[in-house]
Amino acid sequence: MIGKKMQDAMNEQIKQELGSSYLYLSMAAYFQSSGLDGMARWMRAQTQEELVHAMKLFDHIEDRGGKVKLLALTQPTTEWASPLTAFQAAWKHEQFISSRIDNLVELAAEEKDHPAGILLQWFVTEQVEEEASVSKVVQLLERVGDSGNGLIMLDRELGARVFTPPTTADAAAQ
Ligand code: FEO
């Protein structure tokens, strides 16, 4: 059975993951309206990734006899000055999420909550990947600078990203 402290902290993290999903969907809308369909597609895939993250926590609480409580989401930003600014904001956001995961890991240790600790290790690894993938795009956009052709080529490259839903084996490994 999950303890109340961990349950509340995970419910808060579900909100953060859904908030991330909402933010990236807002970025997808921004890119789409800017004619950057590849970047929009990249952000749509990221939106779906975040839903998977939220559901991992949702299932963990339910599986351990806890109660999922969905909290209110705040309205995400809708406009960015440039594609670079948007990806920089996404990178900063991922760093914020990583710090929240670190706090949850510490709480699991304090509470001697080993099942939560094991699940959270998955999130620790995932956050390394999340930060790396966004920072790579930031670097590429910095290199592209004001080159319109470079932006079009990068947009095409980012549009190749496809969301891969978790498999049953992934779910069993949680
Ligand atoms: Fe769920 Fe992008 O962190």
Side-chain angles (χ1 to χ4, degrees):
M1 177 106 190
I2 194 165
K4 170 110 176 50
K5 243 181 169 176
M6 182 54 76
Q7 174 187 286
D8 291 351
M10 282 197 177
N11 273 319
E12 176 61 32
Q13 190 60 27
I14 289 174
K15 180 183 109 172
Q16 295 297 338
E17 300 293 345
L18 293 175
S20 303
S21 186
Y22 214 29
L23 172 64
Y24 297 139
L25 191 57
S26 186
M27 288 184 177
Y30 158 73
F31 284 125
Q32 212 150 327
S33 66
S34 310
L36 293 163
D37 291 355
M39 291 185 193
R41 191 175 153 93
W42 194 99
M43 281 297 172
R44 279 182 183 231
Q46 191 60 31
T47 295
Q48 288 177 290
E49 288 263 344
E50 300 301 350
L51 285 178
V52 170
H53 297 172
M55 290 314 295
K56 273 184 189 280
L57 296 161
F58 185 111
D59 289 342
H60 186 83
I61 295 173
E62 290 288 346
D63 287 349
R64 295 181 65 205
K67 187 159 176 41
V68 169
K69 185 178 170 192
L70 297 179
L71 305 169
L73 301 181
T74 48
Q75 186 184 352
T77 306
T78 53
E79 288 293 332
W80 288 268
S82 66
L84 175 60
T85 316
F87 272 96
Q88 279 171 334
W91 188 21
K92 199 166 164 209
H93 183 74
E94 284 305 326
Q95 291 170 46
F96 164 70
I97 295 294
S98 296
S99 73
R100 297 203 53 103
I101 296 293
D102 291 346
N103 291 344
L104 281 172
V105 170
E106 279 161 31
L107 179 63
E110 275 165 29
E111 298 282 302
K112 297 188 173 37
D113 186 338
H114 302 300
I118 291 168
L119 174 73
L120 291 165
Q121 286 311 307
W122 182 90
F123 279 88
V124 170
T125 309
E126 178 71 3
Q127 278 312 118
V128 172
E129 218 176 274
E130 293 273 280
E131 283 191 40
S133 70
V134 187
S135 83
K136 191 181 153 207
V137 181
V138 169
Q139 280 176 0
L140 290 169
L141 280 166
E142 281 170 348
R143 207 172 303 161
V144 161
D146 292 333
S147 157
N149 277 349
L151 193 64
I152 289 166
M153 279 171 68
L154 182 57
D155 186 59
R156 200 171 299 159
E157 190 187 319
L158 294 178
R161 178 178 180 182
V162 278
F163 168 70
T164 317
T167 62
T168 318
D170 291 338
Q174 276 179 30

